[in-house]
Amino acid sequence: MIARWLSYWEPTSPGLHAVCAGRIEDYGYLADGRSGALVGRDGSVDWWCPSRFDAPSIFARLLDDDGGHWWIRPAGDFRVERSYLRNTLVLRTVFTTRDGSVAVTDALAMDSNVRGHEIGRNPPGLLLRLVEGLSGHVPMVMSYAPRFEYGRVRAHLDLRGETLVARATGTTLGMTATVPVHRQRTEASASFTVYPGQRESFSLSYSSTYHEREPMPVDVPGTLAETAEGWRSWISEHNYPGQYPELVRQNVMILGGLTYQASGAYVAAATTSLPVRPEGHDNYDYRYVWLRDFSLAMRALYKAACSLEAERLFRWLAEAIGDVGRQPVPIMLGVEGEHDLTERELDVLTGHLVRGPVLIGNDAWRQRQQDALGQVIDAAWVLRDSLEPMPDDVRRLLRSLAEQAAETWRLPDSGMWEARGEERHFVTSKVGCWMALDRAVRFGTVLGSAADLERWAAARDEIRAAILQQGWNPSVGAFTRAFGSDVLDASILVLPIIGFIPAADPRMRATIERIEQELTTDGLVRRWPDESAGFVICSFWLVECLALAGERDRAAALFERLAGRANDLGLFAEQIDLRTGQQLGNFPQAFSHIGLLSAALRLTEASTPAP
C-alpha cells in the first residue's frame, strides 16, 4: 500500500469549484466489459465514457478542470490507502483523517446472473459507490457535475422521485444517493458525516435516451457483491501454474478490464490524449483495437492458461477486416470493427496538466504497418489447437495476410511506432512479414497449396537474408531501426522473442548490449536515443531477451524491479519519466501489461528444466 497525506482547499460551497486532476499514476481503474472509468486518490471519478470505450465522455476532469467529475471524499485533510478487492476490479479506498477513517468502494456493475467468460457482454451501465464508516466520525463532501460530449454540454438536473436525472446528446443519467443532496441547475452537492458501521450508497445509471429504462432503485451493497463475484468467476477460468502467479493474475484482470466483451476486442488503453512527455506531446487517442496489441494480448493470455474463445475472436477479426485484396490491411479498428477512425482536435478540453491537444480518433488507421501481418498469423499459430477445424473465414483472413506479406514486404511503411513522417524500411516491419510467412508455412496445407507453401517459403527466406544483410550495421555493431540506419531502436528486441534469431547469436547479443548501454537508464528502456522516457513494454522485452540469452537471474531481477514501477494498484501507463518516475501516456496501457505478462511467462519457461 502507498499512503500519503493529501490536502485540498475546501470551497465555501462544496461542488461548485473543481480541484486539479492528479497525475496519471494517481488513478485507479474500473471496468464493466463495455467501458472504463478512472478514479483518483481524491475520490473523484474523472473519466467515464459510459456507452463504450471510444464514446463521448460524461466525466473528463482528467483532461480539463471543468470537464465533469463526481467526487466523494473527506471534507478536510486525509491520508489514502487503496486496493482492489481480491481477484476483482472493485476498488476500495480508505481515507484516514484526524477524526476517523472511512472506506469508499467503487465499481462499474457487471451483468447480473452471468458468470465465466460471458460476463461483461451486456452490463447495466451503472457506476456504484458505497461509503462506510470505519472509525471516529468523518465529515464528507460529495460533488456531482456531469458534462456531456467531452464537456461541451451541460444539462439541467431534474428530480424524478428519488433520482436526479440529466438528459443531453441522446444520453440519460440517473444519480441516486441515500444522503440529502443539494441540487443546483447542472450540479449537485452534499455534506454528511459518517460514523462506525454507517453506510451511505450512491449510484449513477446510464442509458440511451431513446431506449430509456425507468430509473430503478439500486441495492448498491448487493450489486457490488454481485459484481465482485462476477469478476471472480471470470478469473476462475484462469489456471496459471508458473512464476509470479499473483502478479500474472492481476495483469490478466487488467487486460480483462480493457476488453470490449461484446466483440472480445482489446483496446490499447481506456483514455485519449494523455501526453507521453511532461511538456505535452503525442497526445493520441488509444481507445481502439490495434491488430498488434490484439494479437499479442491473445497470445499472452492463452499462454497464461486463460480460457479464450479463440474461434470467436478470430472470426470477429476476419469479419472486421473484411476482404482486403491488395489494399493495406487495416492496422487498427473500432471496438465493433469500424475502419474510419478519422482524427480531430477538440477545442473544449485543455489537456492533462499541460495544454492539449485533445484528440478524438487516430489517423494511424490510414498507415501501412507491416509487422501487424505477422502478429495476427503468429497468434493464430499459438492458438491453433483452439482453431481446429479452422473456420473458412479465418482461413481466408490468414491466407490473405500471408499473401500480402509476400507481395508487399519490399515496400516502406510507418513502422510499429507509427511514424507520421516519411515511410521507411523499418527492420521490425520486415521481421513481421518474415513471421507472417514463417507461420503460414508452418500451417501447411491448412492455409495453402503445395505451390503456395513453396512460394511463401521462398519469400520468407528472401526477407530473412535482406534483414541480416541490410538491418545489421557493422559500424554501429548492432541491428538498427531501419535499413541503412545508424540509429538504435528498442523494437529490435523483438527479434529473438518471435524466433527470428537466437538471443545468443553474436549479432543479437551485441545489439542487446548496445541497447543496455545506450538506451537503458535504471532498468527503463527508451525506444531511441533522443527519447526522454522509458517505454514500459520495451523494458519487459529486455527481460525476455536476457532470459533467452541464458541470463535468467539478471532477467528476474530486472523484471521484479520493473514490476515495482507500477502504481499502487499495479497499473501502468505507456511510458515512465526517467527523471521523476512519473507515468506518462494513456492509461491503463494494454501494451505495458502485455509486456509484463509475456516476461513473466518467459521467466517461467527459463526456469523449467528441459524434458
Side-chain angles (χ1 to χ4, degrees):
M1 297 282 188
I2 293 177
R4 62 189 180 101
W5 286 95
L6 300 181
S7 296
Y8 296 100
W9 171 66
E10 182 182 351
T12 304
S13 300
L16 297 182
H17 303 277
V19 292
C20 290
R23 300 181 305 178
I24 293 169
E25 61 266 29
D26 288 339
Y27 287 96
Y29 182 61
L30 314 176
D32 62 1
R34 179 166 62 195
S35 185
L38 296 189
V39 186
R41 291 182 189 277
D42 59 353
S44 185
V45 181
D46 287 347
W47 183 255
W48 190 28
C49 307
S51 64
R52 58 184 238 179
F53 285 103
D54 57 347
S57 65
I58 61 166
F59 299 134
R61 177 171 168 258
L62 179 71
L63 296 173
D64 190 288
D65 284 355
D66 199 32
H69 67 269
W70 186 20
W71 81 58
I72 302 174
R73 60 176 177 83
D77 296 349
F78 52 84
R79 189 177 71 242
V80 175
E81 293 181 294
R82 59 186 184 167
S83 62
Y84 287 118
L85 302 188
R86 181 174 170 78
N87 291 335
T88 77
L89 289 184
V90 177
L91 178 63
R92 187 173 188 266
T93 303
V94 175
F95 298 98
T96 301
T97 73
R98 292 176 176 83
D99 298 317
S101 60
V102 62
V104 178
T105 303
D106 296 317
L108 288 175
M110 285 292 201
D111 343 29
S112 60
N113 302 318
V114 176
R115 295 293 180 264
H117 62 263
E118 292 187 354
I119 193 167
R121 295 188 187 179
N122 189 30
L126 191 59
L127 177 55
L128 307 168
R129 314 199 73 179
L130 179 65
V131 180
E132 301 175 274
L134 302 178
S135 66
H137 67 282
V138 183
M140 302 288 290
V141 291
M142 186 277 288
S143 173
Y144 169 63
R147 300 286 184 265
F148 296 81
E149 201 171 296
Y150 300 109
R152 190 179 298 280
V153 180
R154 301 183 182 210
H156 286 276
L157 299 182
D158 297 319
L159 191 61
R160 273 175 65 177
E162 297 181 351
T163 303
L164 277 178
V165 176
R167 292 188 183 90
T169 64
T171 296
T172 296
L173 302 177
M175 195 272 277
T176 65
T178 57
V179 302
V181 174
H182 177 61
R183 174 171 57 100
Q184 295 159 357
R185 291 175 59 192
T186 64
E187 301 181 8
S189 61
S191 297
F192 58 101
T193 300
V194 289
Y195 297 87
Q198 179 181 349
R199 284 182 165 188
E200 302 295 351
S201 298
F202 302 80
S203 68
L204 179 61
S205 64
Y206 153 81
S207 65
S208 167
T209 299
Y210 307 110
H211 302 86
E212 182 180 352
R213 301 183 296 264
E214 281 297 314
M216 299 290 290
V218 177
D219 173 12
V220 171
T223 309
L224 277 171
E226 285 185 2
T227 295
E229 182 56 33
W231 276 114
R232 289 172 181 140
S233 74
W234 181 82
I235 198 65
S236 69
E237 299 188 1
H238 157 83
N239 186 27
Y240 171 69
Q243 302 284 316
Y244 310 105
E246 290 296 320
L247 195 55
V248 167
R249 185 179 298 110
Q250 178 186 46
N251 280 267
V252 167
M253 291 291 304
I254 294 165
L255 286 179
L258 290 169
T259 306
Y260 185 74
Q261 293 289 354
S263 63
Y266 308 96
V267 295
T271 59
T272 179
S273 302
L274 296 185
V276 297
R277 296 185 186 178
E279 65 275 15
H281 188 70
D282 293 344
N283 302 1
Y284 298 125
D285 192 347
Y286 275 20
R287 299 172 297 160
Y288 304 110
V289 184
W290 270 256
L291 298 193
R292 179 187 306 107
D293 302 43
F294 184 67
S295 302
L296 289 172
M298 279 195 292
R299 185 169 61 194
L301 290 169
Y302 183 80
K303 289 185 175 181
C306 294
S307 176
L308 289 183
E309 299 174 279
E311 180 176 330
R312 172 177 176 250
L313 296 176
F314 275 100
R315 296 193 78 160
W316 174 80
L317 198 61
E319 178 182 337
I321 291 176
D323 183 5
V324 296
R326 293 180 177 273
Q327 296 298 313
V329 171
I331 58 93
M332 57 187 294
L333 303 161
V335 294
E336 293 184 351
E338 300 88 348
H339 285 220
D340 187 345
L341 306 177
T342 299
E343 183 174 292
R344 63 188 177 92
E345 183 174 345
L346 290 179
D347 58 2
V348 68
L349 299 174
T350 58
H352 178 78
L353 300 184
V354 295
R355 297 198 65 85
V358 173
L359 301 176
I360 303 301
N362 194 313
D363 276 344
W365 74 275
R366 305 175 190 274
Q367 293 184 349
R368 181 190 298 274
Q369 296 178 21
Q370 300 282 64
D371 73 291
L373 307 174
Q375 296 292 356
V376 174
I377 302 184
D378 183 62
W381 174 251
V382 171
L383 277 67
R384 60 191 179 277
D385 290 343
S386 301
L387 292 172
E388 291 184 359
M390 185 178 288
D392 288 342
D393 51 356
V394 176
R395 179 182 294 105
R396 286 194 297 269
L397 168 67
L398 300 181
R399 177 183 172 83
S400 69
L401 297 180
E403 288 289 1
Q404 190 155 130
E407 293 175 6
T408 67
W409 74 267
R410 294 180 181 84
L411 297 177
D413 73 345
S414 298
M416 72 162 58
W417 304 136
E418 303 186 342
R420 294 205 171 191
E422 182 182 356
E423 293 183 336
R424 302 186 64 185
H425 293 278
F426 291 100
V427 170
T428 49
S429 297
K430 308 302 184 188
V431 170
C433 291
W434 171 88
M435 181 164 60
L437 294 166
D438 179 74
R439 285 13 172 209
V441 170
R442 293 189 197 185
F443 269 115
T445 54
V446 171
L447 290 191
S449 66
D452 293 328
L453 297 177
E454 183 178 357
R455 179 165 48 83
W456 293 342
R460 175 200 60 190
D461 295 343
E462 187 178 359
I463 297 169
R464 177 178 175 79
I467 294 168
L468 294 177
Q469 180 179 7
Q470 300 179 64
W472 170 261
N473 188 320
S475 62
V476 177
F479 289 105
T480 55
R481 172 185 297 174
F483 285 1
S485 172
D486 60 359
V487 177
L488 286 176
D489 191 313
S491 66
I492 296 298
L493 292 171
V494 304
L495 269 61
I497 293 171
I498 58 93
F500 177 80
I501 189 172
D505 181 281
R507 291 164 295 184
M508 193 65 224
R509 196 69 189 90
T511 301
I512 296 169
E513 290 175 359
R514 289 296 304 276
I515 289 173
E516 282 195 274
Q517 292 166 5
E518 299 188 23
L519 298 184
T520 306
T521 301
D522 199 23
L524 294 170
V525 179
R526 292 170 290 149
R527 287 179 293 177
W528 46 74
D530 59 355
E531 195 165 44
S532 60
F535 207 85
V536 176
I537 195 172
C538 295
S539 305
F540 284 116
W541 285 342
L542 178 58
V543 171
E544 290 200 63
C545 284
L546 292 175
L548 287 167
E551 298 188 56
R552 200 245 175 226
D553 290 345
R554 196 155 74 91
L558 177 58
F559 174 83
E560 292 163 13
R561 189 177 182 184
L562 291 170
R565 295 274 195 170
N567 78 352
D568 55 317
L569 297 171
L571 300 171
F572 277 109
E574 184 177 51
Q575 302 187 41
I576 296 176
D577 187 276
L578 298 176
R579 298 175 295 102
T580 67
Q582 289 184 329
Q583 300 214 25
L584 301 169
N586 285 303
F587 181 85
Q589 175 79 209
F591 223 21
S592 300
H593 292 281
I594 291 167
L596 186 149
L597 273 179
S598 297
L601 297 169
R602 187 73 64 185
L603 289 169
T604 294
E605 293 173 359
S607 64
T608 303

